[in-house]
Amino acid sequence: SALFKRSPSIKMTNNRPSSDMAAFREKLKESKHLVVLTGAGVSAESGVPTFRGAGGYWRTYQAMDLATPEAFHSNPSLVWEFYHYRREVMGSKNPNPAHQAIAQCEQWMKKENKRVVVITQNIDELHTRAGTQNLLELHGNLFKTRCLKCGNIEVNRDSPICEALRGKGAPEPDSKGANIPRENLPRCKKPGCGGLLRPHVIWFGESLEERVLDAAFQELDDCDLCLVVGTSSIVYPAAMFAPQVAARGVPVAEFNLETTPATQQLGGHGFFFSGPCGSTIPEALKPF
């Protein structure tokens, strides 16, 4: 995709984005190819812990301490406890009105032969559970594993994922690590393998899957309207997505609690709607 490989220099603009919902709805009505970029803010409104920012701790760790290849190499038991906790906690979390409105928008636009694609930084499957079908998961999926020996990737919703993790993963700061021996951690079930499994998620310092990234770039090159929902726009390469769509004159609408580094780059044809996604998105995406 020529546009994104070129990375045009993005001009800062003084034109402030608009917060005129009626004007946004006109753009939505005209749209034939909508891309929705979502981040942690959408999950946070479902009560999903994001382990970032103030209060975002699991025990005494933030995500950046544990979501790395180095952490897994040195203490796979601790990292698996962290992901076991994150998997188990999802049993009590549900899609919120923003997830549902995005999925419903895909349905009603599809009936009019229009395309909606969700590109998410979230790994919690709440978009899928809400009914979203065209989904690109940039950072992988909490309920998939990858074998470090044979490379096999598969969906795994076992609870617990292995017997040794049953009852482990308590998030309180004074919880002690379980120190589970490697051989008792999640292992590959393919005949003759038995390799150590890791969560199939993108960790800090790892590259995004090329296939997923290429597909995302293609959608962003082709869309005629782009929504940025609940993402801080600071994690690359996702941070470049909205400004580069705006740079080719396509309207970008940001839905966030506060402005982000991307907001100033949306230009005169951009929109910014402040507030919880669960109240702004259903209003913005309701059927005509």
Side-chain angles (χ1 to χ4, degrees):
S1 72
L3 170 67
F4 281 95
K5 298 297 186 285
R6 257 203 327 272
S7 288
S9 59
I10 291 156
K11 296 180 178 63
M12 295 300 276
T13 167
N14 297 324
N15 294 340
R16 298 175 68 84
S18 156
S19 53
D20 180 342
M21 182 62 82
F24 166 77
R25 297 272 298 159
E26 281 305 310
K27 296 291 182 192
L28 180 65
K29 201 173 194 172
E30 293 163 15
S31 172
K32 292 182 172 58
H33 188 154
L34 171 66
V35 166
V36 185
L37 298 167
T38 71
V42 186
S43 294
E45 287 183 37
S46 286
V48 177
T50 60
F51 307 107
R52 292 209 172 90
Y57 286 88
W58 177 82
R59 296 184 185 168
T60 55
Y61 306 98
Q62 286 200 308
M64 296 181 91
D65 304 320
L66 299 172
T68 71
E70 295 76 19
F72 191 75
H73 183 73
S74 67
N75 196 339
S77 171
L78 183 68
V79 174
W80 260 122
E81 273 199 272
F82 176 55
Y83 280 94
H84 168 66
Y85 169 74
R86 295 180 74 173
R87 286 163 59 93
E88 296 298 312
V89 98
M90 289 312 299
S92 62
K93 309 300 176 197
N94 292 299
N96 64 55
H99 293 107
Q100 287 157 349
I102 291 166
Q104 286 155 9
C105 175
E106 181 184 4
Q107 292 308 312
W108 68 255
M109 283 185 71
K110 191 175 173 184
K111 286 183 184 136
E112 299 175 14
N113 292 318
K114 298 173 170 186
R115 180 170 176 79
V116 177
V117 181
V118 178
I119 302 175
T120 190
Q121 291 168 272
N122 301 332
I123 61 173
D124 53 35
E125 282 199 330
L126 287 177
H127 282 298
T128 302
R129 284 170 53 192
T132 290
Q133 288 170 338
N134 283 340
L135 180 68
L136 292 170
E137 293 174 309
L138 291 175
H139 293 170
N141 184 310
L142 203 44
F143 298 97
K144 285 182 180 171
T145 58
R146 183 163 86 245
C147 176
L148 292 177
K149 188 173 168 189
C150 75
N152 184 49
I153 296 165
E154 62 181 33
V155 172
N156 183 318
R157 294 198 176 83
D158 296 349
S159 171
I161 189 169
C162 68
E163 205 43 52
L165 280 166
R166 186 181 295 279
K168 306 294 189 228
E172 292 75 24
D174 56 354
S175 302
K176 295 278 178 283
N179 295 321
I180 298 164
R182 288 175 82 94
E183 60 270 19
N184 296 342
L185 289 170
R187 311 298 298 199
C188 184
K189 292 186 173 74
K190 284 192 88 169
C193 183
L196 180 64
L197 297 179
R198 60 163 276 179
H200 185 53
V201 297
I202 305 292
W203 282 333
F204 292 97
E206 293 184 325
S207 302
L208 272 61
E209 268 186 272
E210 202 152 320
R211 178 188 58 81
V212 177
L213 199 51
D214 284 348
F217 282 147
Q218 193 60 59
E219 297 294 341
L220 290 154
D221 268 356
D222 295 344
C223 73
D224 56 20
L225 180 61
C226 177
L227 270 58
V228 179
V229 186
T231 165
S232 62
S233 302
I234 51 174
V235 181
Y236 280 80
M240 292 302 288
F241 289 168
Q244 291 194 9
V245 170
R248 65 178 178 91
V250 170
V252 176
E254 187 180 357
F255 294 80
N256 259 323
L257 288 174
E258 63 258 326
T259 59
T260 69
T263 312
Q264 303 84 277
Q265 300 174 3
L266 301 184
H269 43 256
F271 296 89
F272 178 81
F273 299 102
S274 152
C277 312
S279 51
T280 54
I281 288 289
E283 173 67 20
L285 296 185
K286 64 188 179 195
F288 290 96

